[in-house]
Amino acid sequence: MGYCYCTWFGAFRTRYCDWNPTQYSANDKSIRTWAITTWLDEIAGKSEANINHHTFGPWPRSRQALWSPWTWNGRLSPPFLPCTRSTLELLADLSPMMPVCFDFNSPRGCRRNPCRFTHEKPENANSHGSASAKSPVAKQRRVQPIMEAPNGICRYYYNLGSCKRDPCRFLHPEPGTLGTAIGPGSGFLLSSTQSKNDTTTSYGERALKPAWFSVVAPSDALYHLGLICAPRATFTRPSQVMKFVNLLANAGPRDSTWDEKDAQRFLEIVSEGHGLSRIEAILTFDPVVVQVDTSREPISFTSAYVPCLGYLVSSFVLDSTLATRVNSLYGLIHTHFDRISTIITTCMTTIVEQKSFKDRPFGISCGAEVFRTLIQVVVEYINRFKSAFRDHRSLAPLTESISSWIDQWKAGGFVDTEIGDGHAKKVVMDKIQRDLHRLLSMATRESAAITHKDGSQELKVKKGPSSTSIIGSLAIHYDPAGTLRSDGPRHDNDFEDIRMIYIAPTEAEMMCKISPFLPANIPGAPHHLASESMERLLDIQFRLLREELIAPLRLALQSIISDLLNPSKKTPLHSLLAKKGGRYTAETGHSDSVMASVYTSVDPVAITTDKRGVATELVIDTPPGQARNRSASQRAEYWKAISRKRLMQGGLVGLVWASRGNAQLFFGLISSSVEDLQFSSRESPDSLRIRVKFFDELVNSKVMEWCQLHPRDRRGTTILMVEASVMYESIRPFLMALQQEPTSFPFSRYLVHRLDASRHLYQSIDPPHYTFTRPGFTWNLKCVMNEEMDLVLDPNSANSIVEARQQLRSSSQLDPSQADAM
C-alpha cells in the first residue's frame, strides 16, 4: 500500500516528469481510490465527500492524459471525478503547482491554445507584460484546466457547456448523457491502424462486446459510420464487420427513429469512396461460411453477408431520390458478381444439404428473410444493368438455383425461425412466390434474347389464334425490329428491345427512308413477343407513342433536306427562305401533310451554361407576322401569348447544317424561358437569341469551329432550325415509364389481351390482394341495398359470392349486369 501511495503521490506531485507505467502493478481498485482521495484531501483541504469514489480506468499513458481523467487513450473511461463545479474548483486549486508558461511572460506571448502550462503574470509585471520567470505567482488566481473531451465530443462544449462553431462537426451531448453517447448501446466502432505495442483500439472497441443487432440511435449510427468510413480505417477482424453490418441493419428498415434526412445522410456516407470500400470488402470477403469456425477468420453468411445485401434492398435505399448513389452500390454487385454468385451458391448449397439455417454464434436465421433478400437483390440488379445476363453468364444458373432451393425449403424439414401462425406464414410464402415468379420471368426473357442474338436459335414470331383477314394482312407485311429483321436494323436506334431505344431521335433514324416497326395493338396480331405478356403490351404502347412524337418532325426534316439539296429554286423551302422563316408544309401522301416551324439564318454565336447544363446560344431570324412589329412592347406581348405554341421551353428542335451538298442533323431542347424571349424581342425586331441544349455534345466543337471562321469562309453554308409540333417534355416521362421492367407494373395480368379457345377476350379477376393478407376480411354492401339490411360478402368464399349476387339482383338498386360486375 505504501508503494502504491508513493507512486501515485509522485505522479500527481510531479505531473510532467517522465515515469514508466510498467512499474505500477497494483490492481486493487480500493487502494488506488484511497491513495488519491487521501492525497487530494491533504493538498487541497477538501473533504472526502466531494470526491466521487468510482472505479479508476487504465493507467494514463501520457502527461496530458494525467489531467484528462475522463479520456484516457482517446476514449471514454469510467470517471473517478464528477464533472461538477466543486470538482473543477478542486482541480483549479492544484494549478499553482503547474509550471509557468515562459512564452506567456515574453514579449511574443503564448501561441498555444490550449496551453498545458499556467498563464500567470508576476505581481511586479510592467505594462509591456515582461517579468522575471522567478517571480512569485498570485495564489488567489485560479486557472481552470482544459480537459480532453471523449472521442467525437466537442472539447469546448465538454468543458464550457457551449460552442461558438456553427455548424460543429463534433457531438454536443446533453448533460447526463455522456455515458450513452459513446458507451453502451452505441459502441459499434472500428479500430484504425494501431502501433505494435498498443493493444487497445483507438475507437474503444473494448467498450462493448460484439453482439448481433443492437439498436443504435440515428445520430450515434452516423457518428460511428463516419469512424468506420474514415480513410485509414480498415477491417482487420470479422467482429468489426459485424459492427458495420449492425449499423446497416439499423439504417435499413423504416421506423419512427429514422427520418428521411438521417437515412439520406447515411446513404451518402455509405455510397462515397470509403463507404463503398467497406461494402466491397464485405461482398468480396474471404472466407464466408455458414457456421463460423473460431480457428479461422471468416464471417457468417446468414448473420453478416445477407444483412449487408439486405441494406441494398431496404426501403430507404430503393425509395431514395439519390439514384446515382444507389446505382454505385449496385455497381459493386456488377463488378464482383462472379465472386458474389460463388459465395451465395456455396453457402446456400451447404444450408440446403444440412437443412438448417442455424448459425452457431448468432442463433437461427430466418429462411424466409434470406430468400426474400436474395431474390430482391437479383431483381434490382437486373433492373439497373440491362446487360447483366450477357455480362455474367452465371446469373441465369443462379436464378434457377434460387428457385430450386426455395422448392426444397418449402418441402419442410429445415431448422428455421418460425414465421408466425398459419395465416402469416401463408402471406409470406405467397409474397416469396410472387417475387420468385417475377425473377424467373425476367431470367426467361433475357436468356431467350441472348440465345437469339448468339444465333443459336431462331426466334419465332408469336401469333395469336385469330385468322381474320386483318391479321392475315398484317402477317404478310410484318417487318420486325432490330436484328429480327432479315436485312438487319434499319438504323442505329432500331432495336427489338424498347429499353435500348433512345427516346431522343438520332440523325440516322430521322434520315432513314424505311418505315419504322409499328406493331398493331390487336389481339392475335404478329409480334416477336408472347401474345399474353406484359412485355408485348409495353412494346406496342412505347413504339406507337414515340412515333406520335417524332413522326411529324421526321417527315418535315426529310422534305426540307430534299428541297435544300435540290438545285431547283421552285421548291417550298426556297420561297420560305425568301420570307426569312415561317410555316413549312410537307406533303406525305395524296391528302396527308405535316406542318413545322422553320427558322432561318441560324448563327451559333456562343457556348453558355444554364440550369440544363451546357447550351448553345443561337441567333435566328424573327418569324414573319406580329413578331416583327416595330413596337417593342407589342413584340414582347406577342411572345408571351404564343410561348405555349412556338419556341416552348423544353420543346424539341432539329438543327439542319447543310454545306457543300451534305446535310447534318443535330437535335436538342430549347432552354430559353419566356422572359428570355421577351427580353430578346425588345432588343431587335429582326432577330432573336435563344439557347438550345443539344443531345449530342459533339455539336459544341462544331459550334466553336464555326465561331472562329471568317465570314467569307461561311459562304455556302446554310443552317436552319426546325421545331417539332409536339411537346417533347410532355411525352418523355411516359416513354421512360414504359421502358421500365415489365414485371414491375401493377395490374399487369389484367392489362394484357387474353383470348380463349373461341378467340374471344376473357379475363378472370381475383379478389384484391389486401383481402388475402387480412384474415377474416369482408365487405358490407349495405349502401346499395333497397332496405336497411346488411349484406356481408366474403371475397374468398365462393358460396358467399353466389349468395351476394342473388341478393343484389333481387333486393338492390342495381340491375343484373351491375350486380354481376360488383
Side-chain angles (χ1 to χ4, degrees):
M1 182 183 298
Y3 172 77
C4 174
Y5 174 81
C6 294
T7 304
W8 280 70
F9 178 83
F12 275 86
R13 180 76 176 178
T14 60
R15 272 160 216 72
Y16 295 96
C17 295
D18 293 332
W19 51 276
N20 186 3
T22 60
Q23 295 178 357
Y24 179 72
S25 58
N27 294 323
D28 191 345
K29 300 177 182 178
S30 61
I31 294 178
R32 290 186 285 173
T33 305
W34 174 85
I36 188 61
T37 304
T38 305
W39 182 74
L40 289 175
D41 286 345
E42 292 177 358
I43 298 299
K46 298 293 181 179
S47 65
E48 188 174 345
N50 290 334
I51 302 177
N52 191 0
H53 292 258
H54 283 280
T55 303
F56 285 95
W59 184 262
R61 296 182 178 272
S62 64
R63 295 193 297 257
Q64 182 181 2
L66 199 57
W67 280 97
S68 304
W70 285 268
T71 55
W72 285 339
N73 199 30
R75 66 183 179 89
L76 183 66
S77 297
F80 65 88
L81 292 177
C83 187
T84 61
R85 182 178 182 86
S86 61
T87 304
L88 296 178
E89 291 177 357
L90 172 63
L91 295 175
D93 286 341
L94 303 179
S95 61
M97 303 175 59
M98 298 175 61
V100 179
C101 179
F102 292 96
D103 294 333
F104 181 78
N105 292 318
S106 65
R108 185 180 61 175
C110 179
R111 299 182 180 180
R112 292 183 290 269
N113 184 21
C115 181
R116 66 177 63 181
F117 304 105
T118 306
H119 286 187
E120 293 287 347
K121 292 184 179 181
E123 295 178 351
N124 58 349
N126 53 24
S127 58
H128 297 283
S130 62
S132 174
K134 298 181 180 180
S135 300
V137 179
K139 294 185 179 181
Q140 66 275 11
R141 179 177 178 85
R142 296 180 177 179
V143 179
Q144 179 172 315
I146 299 296
M147 301 179 184
E148 287 295 326
N151 192 20
I153 303 297
C154 176
R155 179 175 56 183
Y156 300 101
Y157 190 89
Y158 180 77
N159 285 273
L160 306 176
S162 62
C163 177
K164 296 182 179 180
R165 290 176 292 196
D166 186 22
C168 181
R169 62 190 183 96
F170 299 96
L171 297 177
H172 291 174
E174 295 296 329
T177 61
L178 269 179
T180 58
I182 306 294
S186 59
F188 299 90
L189 306 180
L190 182 70
S191 62
S192 62
T193 305
Q194 304 292 325
S195 63
K196 295 182 180 180
N197 298 327
D198 188 4
T199 59
T200 305
T201 59
S202 62
Y203 293 152
E205 185 181 345
R206 293 182 182 177
L208 197 67
K209 293 181 179 181
W212 172 233
F213 191 73
S214 178
V215 178
V216 183
S219 58
D220 294 338
L222 292 173
Y223 166 69
H224 297 318
L225 184 66
L227 297 179
I228 292 176
C229 299
R232 292 189 300 174
T234 56
F235 287 140
T236 58
R237 291 184 298 277
S239 60
Q240 299 167 351
V241 175
M242 295 299 297
K243 297 170 186 178
F244 179 55
V245 172
N246 184 77
L247 298 180
L248 297 178
N250 275 272
R254 290 184 180 270
D255 54 40
S256 58
T257 59
W258 284 79
D259 56 16
E260 295 291 342
K261 183 178 180 181
D262 293 333
Q264 179 171 326
R265 179 54 186 159
F266 192 96
L267 177 59
E268 290 175 352
I269 298 176
V270 170
S271 58
E272 290 175 349
H274 297 290
L276 287 175
S277 300
R278 305 298 175 266
I279 299 289
E280 184 180 19
I282 297 178
L283 296 180
T284 59
F285 201 91
D286 187 26
V288 180
V289 297
V290 175
Q291 293 190 7
V292 176
D293 185 359
T294 56
S295 63
R296 297 183 295 171
E297 291 292 328
I299 64 173
S300 170
F301 176 73
T302 57
S303 299
Y305 200 84
V306 173
C308 180
L309 294 175
Y311 175 74
L312 302 184
V313 293
S314 62
S315 55
F316 278 129
V317 174
L318 298 183
D319 298 340
S320 175
T321 57
L322 304 176
T324 302
R325 294 184 177 270
V326 175
N327 290 336
S328 64
L329 292 176
Y330 281 90
L332 297 177
I333 298 181
H334 186 68
T335 303
H336 304 285
F337 183 82
D338 293 334
R339 170 61 182 164
I340 296 172
S341 177
T342 301
I343 293 175
I344 294 176
T345 303
T346 303
C347 293
M348 286 303 305
T349 301
T350 303
I351 290 175
V352 172
E353 290 177 353
Q354 298 177 356
K355 290 190 174 183
S356 174
F357 285 92
K358 186 177 181 180
D359 191 350
R360 187 180 306 165
F362 306 104
I364 302 177
S365 301
C366 179
E369 187 66 22
V370 171
F371 286 120
R372 183 196 68 85
T373 300
L374 296 180
I375 293 174
Q376 289 189 356
V377 167
V378 176
V379 167
E380 292 297 330
Y381 167 60
I382 297 174
N383 283 338
R384 285 171 168 78
F385 291 88
K386 310 304 181 184
S387 61
F389 281 88
R390 178 168 292 277
D391 296 339
H392 303 287
R393 295 304 175 95
S394 60
L395 179 55
L398 178 61
T399 59
E400 297 176 359
S401 299
I402 292 176
S403 177
S404 176
W405 297 331
I406 292 178
D407 291 338
Q408 298 180 56
W409 172 64
K410 290 192 301 182
F414 276 70
V415 179
D416 190 5
T417 302
E418 291 294 335
I419 301 175
D421 57 10
H423 180 76
K425 183 176 181 179
K426 185 178 180 181
V427 171
V428 172
M429 298 300 293
D430 178 73
K431 179 66 168 61
I432 292 178
Q433 192 62 37
R434 287 189 288 112
D435 292 342
L436 179 62
H437 176 72
R438 178 185 178 187
L439 174 61
L440 295 178
S441 299
M442 299 168 64
T444 303
R445 182 186 68 244
E446 297 297 334
S447 299
I450 293 176
T451 302
H452 168 70
K453 284 189 176 182
D454 293 341
S456 57
Q457 180 180 354
E458 182 181 358
L459 187 64
K460 297 180 180 180
V461 176
K462 307 296 190 304
K463 298 181 181 180
S466 177
S467 59
T468 62
S469 58
I470 298 179
I471 301 301
S473 177
L474 291 174
I476 294 175
H477 298 89
Y478 178 74
D479 191 13
T483 57
L484 302 177
R485 190 167 175 265
S486 58
D487 296 333
R490 298 168 175 81
H491 44 75
D492 59 354
N493 202 24
D494 184 28
F495 301 98
E496 61 270 22
D497 187 357
I498 60 173
R499 293 177 297 172
M500 300 179 64
I501 298 178
Y502 293 101
I503 295 179
T506 64
E507 180 183 13
E509 178 182 12
M510 302 299 274
M511 298 288 288
C512 181
K513 300 292 186 180
I514 305 175
S515 300
F517 171 59
L518 297 177
N521 190 18
I522 301 176
H527 200 281
H528 62 279
L529 296 175
S531 58
E532 296 183 359
S533 63
M534 191 64 186
E535 296 89 342
R536 174 172 178 157
L537 178 62
L538 296 180
D539 182 276
I540 295 173
Q541 298 298 327
F542 177 86
R543 296 182 188 275
L544 296 180
L545 182 59
R546 188 173 181 272
E547 179 67 10
E548 182 180 351
L549 170 65
I550 67 174
L553 182 61
R554 181 181 66 245
L555 296 175
L557 286 173
Q558 292 180 357
S559 180
I560 289 174
I561 293 176
S562 177
D563 291 349
L564 192 62
L565 301 180
N566 190 348
S568 175
K569 300 298 182 180
K570 296 182 180 181
T571 62
L573 178 63
H574 288 84
S575 60
L576 190 139
L577 291 175
K579 301 177 183 177
K580 295 185 177 181
R583 303 285 287 181
Y584 179 84
T585 303
E587 300 293 339
T588 60
H590 298 287
S591 59
D592 296 334
S593 62
V594 295
M595 298 183 66
S597 298
V598 178
Y599 302 88
T600 59
S601 302
V602 179
D603 183 17
V605 294
I607 302 294
T608 61
T609 57
D610 57 12
K611 64 180 182 180
R612 291 182 178 268
V614 179
T616 303
E617 186 172 351
L618 306 176
V619 177
I620 60 177
D621 287 336
T622 303
Q626 291 295 325
R628 298 180 182 177
N629 196 298
R630 292 302 173 185
S631 173
S633 60
Q634 291 293 330
R635 295 195 300 268
E637 288 296 328
Y638 170 80
W639 284 112
K640 181 179 180 180
I642 200 99
S643 59
R644 294 186 178 182
K645 297 181 180 179
R646 304 186 66 176
L647 297 182
M648 300 172 290
Q649 188 175 14
L652 178 65
V653 295
L655 197 68
V656 181
W657 200 306
S659 177
R660 299 176 182 178
N662 185 26
Q664 287 182 284
L665 294 177
F666 302 97
F667 299 94
L669 302 178
I670 298 175
S671 59
S672 298
S673 61
V674 179
E675 291 75 14
D676 296 334
L677 289 177
Q678 289 181 294
F679 178 81
S680 177
S681 63
R682 290 190 180 97
E683 293 183 344
S684 172
D686 300 323
S687 63
L688 286 173
R689 283 180 175 264
I690 64 171
R691 296 188 306 275
V692 178
K693 174 67 172 66
F694 288 98
F695 300 118
D696 190 357
E697 296 181 355
L698 295 178
V699 72
N700 296 331
S701 59
K702 192 173 185 66
V703 169
M704 289 186 289
E705 294 177 359
W706 170 265
C707 295
Q708 297 175 357
L709 292 178
H710 192 273
R712 66 172 177 269
D713 297 330
R714 299 182 180 181
R715 297 174 182 174
T717 300
T718 303
I719 305 177
L720 304 175
M721 189 180 75
V722 183
E723 183 181 11
S725 58
V726 181
M727 181 62 176
Y728 176 82
E729 286 296 330
S730 64
I731 297 181
R732 180 186 59 83
F734 296 95
L735 292 175
M736 293 180 63
L738 292 172
Q739 285 182 316
Q740 299 301 315
E741 170 59 36
T743 58
S744 63
F745 277 79
F747 304 105
S748 58
R749 59 170 299 186
Y750 305 115
L751 296 176
V752 299
H753 298 300
R754 298 182 184 274
L755 298 176
D756 56 14
S758 57
R759 298 189 299 274
H760 291 94
L761 290 173
Y762 80 97
Q763 192 64 262
S764 60
I765 302 177
D766 296 332
H769 186 65
Y770 62 83
T771 65
F772 173 76
T773 58
R774 301 177 185 179
F777 179 87
T778 58
W779 281 301
N780 192 340
L781 306 180
K782 178 180 178 179
C783 59
V784 297
M785 302 301 292
N786 292 327
E787 301 178 357
E788 292 295 331
M789 57 179 298
D790 293 334
L791 178 58
V792 179
L793 171 62
D794 184 358
N796 296 308
S797 174
N799 295 330
S800 177
I801 294 176
V802 173
E803 182 180 355
R805 180 181 291 110
Q806 294 175 356
Q807 291 289 338
L808 289 174
R809 287 182 174 181
S810 60
S811 304
S812 70
Q813 305 172 6
L814 308 178
D815 59 34
S817 62
Q818 292 174 334
D820 291 339
M822 176 166 287

